Amino acid sequence: MKKFRFVLSVMVIAMSVMVCNPAMAQTRKQKKAAEQAEWEFQQKKREMERQRVLDSIENANKRPAESALGSFVDVPCYDQSRSDKEYYRELGTGKAIDLASARRMALQSAQALMRDRLAHQVKGLATDYSKTMSNSKKGAEMEQIIEGEFTNIVDGFLNDADNPCEKWSQDRTGNFNAFYTIEIRKGDLVDKLADGLSKNEKLQAEFDRDQFRKYAEEYMKKQQDFQNGQQ
C-alpha cells in the first residue's frame, strides 16, 4: 500500500511538471520578447535624437540652393589675402585633428606660397633690370647677383611677415580647419634688396641704389596693375 502511494505521488508530480513547463516556457518567451521590444524602442529613440541634432546643425549652416554655376562659398580671410600696390599677401590653409597642427600647416602653406610669389617677382625684376646694363655679360652677372641676394634675405622676410588675418573652425568629424594670411611690404623688400646689392663687392661703383629702388618700385607697380586687370 505504501509502495502504491509512493508511485502515485511520483506520477502526480510528473504530471504537474508536464502541465507547468509549457506555461513557464511561455512566460520566459514573453519576457524575452518584451525585453527585445524595449531594446529596439530605445535604439530607435537614440537614433531619432541623433538625427534631430544633426538636422539642427545642418539647418544652422544651410547653404542657399546651387545656381547654374554651382554653390558659392565664403573663404575665411580671403579679403585680407589679396595683394595691392603696397603689400604682397598670401593665404594658407591647414587641416588637422588638433588646432595647433592645423595652424602650423596653414602658416607653412602661406609661407610656401609667398616664397614662390616673391621668387617669381624678383626673377622678373632681375631679368628686366639686367637689360639696363651696358653689355650682356654684365647684365647676366647682375641677374645672378640679384637672385642670390634674394635667396639671402627671403627666409628673414617669411619669418617676420605680418599676420593680418587668422581664422579657424571645427567640422563634424572633429578636425580643425585653419586659415592664415601673411603679408610683406613691397617697399621693405626693395629696400632690403637695394641695401644688399649696394654692399656687393662685384658691383662696386656700377650700382646706383636709388636708381635700382625706383626701377624696382615701377616694375612692381606694373605687375600689380597687370594683375588687377586680370581680375
Side-chain angles (χ1 to χ4, degrees), residues 78 81-85 87-91 109-125 150 154 158 182-184 186 189 219-220 223-224 227-228 231:
Y78 175 75
S81 68
R82 303 176 66 180
S83 300
D84 54 31
K85 64 180 181 180
Y87 289 95
Y88 287 123
R89 296 188 180 95
E90 288 292 350
L91 170 62
S109 172
Q111 289 177 331
L113 291 171
M114 181 65 79
R115 182 186 292 274
D116 289 344
R117 174 189 282 267
L118 296 183
H120 177 75
Q121 291 292 320
V122 173
K123 172 65 177 177
L125 170 62
F150 166 74
V154 63
L158 293 177
I182 62 174
E183 66 179 15
I184 291 176
K186 295 180 179 180
L189 177 63
Y219 174 85
M220 292 180 180
Q223 292 296 309
Q224 187 61 48
Q227 183 178 348
N228 292 340
Q231 296 178 350

Side-chain angles (χ1 to χ4, degrees), residues 1 6 8 15 19 28 51 58 77 85 109 118 125 131 137 152 158 170 172 183 198 216:
M1 187 68 178
F6 174 77
L8 181 62
M15 291 177 66
V19 172
R28 288 197 298 269
Q51 190 60 47
E58 184 175 354
C77 293
K85 64 180 181 180
S109 172
L118 296 183
L125 170 62
K131 296 176 182 178
K137 184 177 180 179
N152 293 335
L158 293 177
Q170 189 175 24
R172 292 183 183 179
E183 66 179 15
S198 64

Side-chain angles (χ1 to χ4, degrees), residues 29-90:
K29 186 176 181 180
Q30 291 175 346
K31 182 178 180 182
K32 187 175 181 180
E35 291 175 348
Q36 179 67 21
E38 176 65 18
W39 182 84
E40 291 177 354
F41 172 77
Q42 293 298 331
Q43 289 294 104
K44 290 181 180 179
K45 184 178 179 181
R46 292 191 187 95
E47 181 61 27
M48 291 176 64
E49 179 63 19
R50 177 176 176 274
Q51 190 60 47
R52 185 189 67 78
V53 173
L54 292 177
D55 289 343
S56 65
I57 295 174
E58 184 175 354
N59 290 333
N61 300 309
K62 192 172 183 180
R63 297 177 180 176
E66 292 189 0
S67 68
L69 298 177
S71 59
F72 295 91
V73 179
D74 292 330
V75 179
C77 293
Y78 175 75
D79 291 339
Q80 294 89 350
S81 68
R82 303 176 66 180
S83 300
D84 54 31
K85 64 180 181 180
E86 189 174 359
Y87 289 95
Y88 287 123
R89 296 188 180 95
E90 288 292 350

Side-chain angles (χ1 to χ4, degrees), residues 92-95 99 102-103 106 166-169 176-180:
T93 61
K95 183 176 183 178
L99 180 57
R103 293 179 64 191
E166 178 185 1
K167 294 183 180 180
W168 56 270
S169 62
F176 289 90
N177 297 277
F179 302 83
Y180 198 100

Side-chain angles (χ1 to χ4, degrees), residues 123-143:
K123 172 65 177 177
L125 170 62
T127 300
D128 277 21
Y129 187 74
S130 66
K131 296 176 182 178
T132 66
M133 305 304 292
S134 56
N135 60 60
S136 58
K137 184 177 180 179
K138 290 184 177 181
E141 185 177 22
M142 173 61 76
E143 186 172 352

